[in-house]
Amino acid sequence: MIYDNLKKNKNNIVEVKNKVIIHFVKGPYVEIKGSTNSEYKVEFIDNKTGRVHYSTTIKNNCWCKCSIEYCVEWKIKIYENKKLWYEYIYNAKGKRVYIAMDSKALGDSLAWVAYVEEFRKKHQCEIIASTFMNDMFIEQYPNITFTNPGMGVENLYAMYCVGLFYNDDSSVNLFKNPIDPKTQTMQKMCSDILGLDFVEVKPKIKKRNLQIDPTLKQVCIGVFGTAQSKFWNNPTGWQTVVDWLNNKGYTVKLLSKEGDDYMGNKLPKGVVQHPHGPLELVMDEMLKSKAFIGIGSGLSWLSWSLNVPTVLISGFSYDWAEMKDCVRIAAPKGKCEGCFNRVRLDPSDWNWCPDHKGTERQFECTKSITSESVIKELEKFL
């Protein structure tokens, strides 16, 4: 956005002495263009707290920028000769704002997209958003323009990237994440970056035109994740739960696409493997089911988004890390847990277990979750 400081000469003709260019694309940016030799002190201030995050001095035809990329309701003050010369307060109303989701994961996309809409409503702005799953959301958020990641977007007032960002030394990048995201819920990670008050919000996703037989006794499960630490590593856990469901007359549909013995993990017997196909057919199986039982993976987020009763078994994350509106089964007290919320995950190490790898306590968190604890919760609604 360009703002002019104007001055009339003796012939009453307007002369443009300076142009101030301001935008908030990956951080607040100020450029001053003009013909004088003046110097300007620029302050980037959090308008809510009054904290000066950065200040510097520039001359005409120079620019400066604060490194903070998450959303702050900025106040920018520019001084010339120690006198306030220009002031601007962040106001996205009616302007174009681009929000990019920096993750291909199904769970991340489902957890975050609702807050893009909350940002739009709060600031009454025009939102352009990029996700790796636009087709899931485009019909449900008609006031958002979805674009593909990496596509150029012009004439922006602001841009924000949502993700879990690290520096080269594996420390959290606090210029992109205002709070260490490992210590927050998956959804609050996004609301923090977008400067929103956190309230759990379910995403709106593609609707399915499905006739559901209310007498169908079906439960879906998802047993695979992107690292062994996410699995339910109790060697008899899944099989005991499947046997219990089968004995109660339930068909157990396995929605995970990985096959038997994937990375050394055996499938439980007594399940019906859902065939490979589009995600919409996975959604249909969930909607036909009385419950979904899964781990900390995208399928659990999908089930929750569809309002299917969701039982989430996890020890690698703390019991507050995912959605609140689910049946959350965590490691027993006294057992190691929550490494994902304490240590940066190394996705290159399939057997990542930062506290006990190579010892008898490796994957202790989920090895110690019993099938009885899961069945006890299932008995409450099945």
Side-chain angles (χ1 to χ4, degrees):
M1 307 298 289
I2 299 176
Y3 306 91
D4 294 331
N5 279 324
L6 306 178
K7 185 177 181 181
K8 292 182 178 180
N9 64 17
K10 62 182 181 180
N11 296 318
N12 207 34
I13 298 174
V14 173
E15 297 178 339
V16 178
K17 289 294 184 183
N18 296 88
K19 289 183 178 180
V20 182
I21 301 170
I22 294 174
H23 65 69
F24 302 89
V25 176
K26 292 189 174 183
Y29 171 100
V30 171
E31 181 179 1
I32 302 174
K33 290 187 174 183
S35 57
T36 67
N37 293 321
S38 298
E39 288 190 341
Y40 304 92
K41 181 182 179 182
V42 183
E43 293 183 337
F44 297 90
I45 306 164
D46 184 330
N47 196 38
K48 288 186 175 180
T49 67
R51 177 184 173 185
V52 179
H53 282 278
Y54 178 62
S55 67
T56 189
T57 299
I58 62 174
K59 294 184 177 181
N60 265 321
N61 305 309
C62 296
W63 62 269
C64 58
K65 187 173 185 178
C66 179
S67 297
I68 291 174
E69 296 185 16
Y70 55 83
C71 183
V72 174
E73 295 187 22
W74 293 102
K75 177 188 286 186
I76 295 172
K77 287 187 173 182
I78 303 175
Y79 297 87
E80 182 184 28
N81 298 323
K82 298 183 178 181
K83 294 182 179 179
L84 183 63
W85 175 77
Y86 193 90
E87 182 175 292
Y88 182 80
I89 296 174
Y90 178 97
N91 181 6
K93 185 175 181 180
K95 301 182 181 73
R96 287 166 56 84
V97 177
Y98 180 27
I99 299 177
M101 293 193 189
D102 190 55
S103 174
K104 296 181 180 180
L106 172 62
D108 294 348
S109 299
L110 292 169
W112 297 338
V113 71
Y115 296 94
V116 178
E117 173 69 357
E118 294 303 307
F119 186 96
R120 185 195 68 80
K121 292 190 292 187
K122 175 182 177 179
H123 293 281
Q124 301 178 51
C125 57
E126 178 186 348
I127 289 287
I128 303 95
S130 65
T131 82
F132 288 89
M133 297 188 172
N134 290 344
D135 187 56
M136 288 283 287
F137 311 122
I138 194 166
E139 293 179 359
Q140 303 306 312
Y141 293 101
N143 294 313
I144 296 174
T145 300
F146 286 91
T147 188
N148 292 324
M151 296 294 291
V153 182
E154 298 180 346
N155 192 28
L156 293 176
Y157 179 74
M159 176 180 174
Y160 307 104
C161 294
V162 178
L164 198 167
F165 300 104
Y166 289 97
N167 298 311
D168 291 340
D169 63 357
S170 290
S171 61
V172 171
N173 187 330
L174 293 177
F175 291 114
K176 295 185 177 183
N177 297 99
I179 304 172
D180 183 346
K182 300 192 307 301
T183 67
Q184 309 300 309
T185 70
M186 279 290 295
Q187 289 202 308
K188 190 172 183 296
M189 182 191 308
C190 178
S191 65
D192 286 344
I193 290 172
L194 297 182
L196 302 170
D197 294 332
F198 175 67
V199 177
E200 185 170 280
V201 183
K202 287 190 177 183
K204 301 175 185 176
I205 59 177
K206 179 182 292 188
K207 292 189 179 297
R208 304 297 296 153
N209 185 17
L210 190 66
Q211 295 295 321
I212 299 174
D213 180 0
T215 67
L216 179 64
K217 295 186 71 173
Q218 176 173 295
V219 170
C220 287
I221 64 173
V223 304
F224 290 107
T226 54
Q228 193 66 45
S229 55
K230 291 186 176 185
F231 283 58
W232 184 14
N233 288 296
N234 182 325
T236 62
W238 280 114
Q239 190 61 64
T240 302
V241 169
V242 170
D243 290 345
W244 179 82
L245 289 166
N246 287 163
N247 289 336
K248 289 180 67 70
Y250 284 92
T251 298
V252 180
K253 274 285 186 75
L254 175 65
L255 300 182
S256 302
K257 62 183 179 180
E258 296 82 356
D260 195 24
D261 207 30
Y262 177 78
M263 299 301 288
N265 294 276
K266 294 290 186 179
L267 294 178
K269 294 179 173 57
V271 300
V272 177
Q273 175 77 59
H274 178 71
H276 288 189
L279 191 59
E280 288 82 358
L281 297 184
V282 173
M283 295 164 63
D284 289 349
E285 293 303 319
M286 286 181 169
L287 289 167
K288 291 188 289 187
S289 299
K290 303 300 183 186
F292 172 80
I293 311 168
I295 59 176
S297 71
L299 289 179
S300 294
W301 284 96
L302 182 61
S303 169
W304 170 78
S305 301
L306 293 168
N307 295 312
V308 175
T310 302
V311 179
L312 196 159
I313 304 166
S314 179
F316 95 113
S317 58
Y318 286 123
D319 60 5
W320 47 258
E322 292 89 9
M323 69 291 289
K324 295 178 182 178
D325 182 18
C326 71
V327 177
R328 183 61 159 73
I329 300 177
K333 289 185 178 180
K335 299 296 183 179
C336 184
E337 63 174 334
C339 52
F340 177 76
N341 298 116
R342 295 183 282 107
V343 184
R344 180 180 182 177
L345 171 67
D346 179 2
S348 68
D349 182 2
W350 179 261
N351 290 306
W352 181 78
C353 180
D355 298 305
H356 304 296
K357 184 178 179 181
T359 74
E360 292 183 355
R361 296 184 64 187
Q362 184 167 331
F363 307 134
E364 171 184 275
C365 54
T366 52
K367 285 180 179 177
S368 60
I369 297 174
T370 66
S371 52
E372 288 76 19
S373 64
V374 177
I375 291 171
K376 181 180 178 181
E377 295 298 328
L378 293 173
E379 286 178 327
K380 295 177 182 179
F381 60 92
L382 290 182

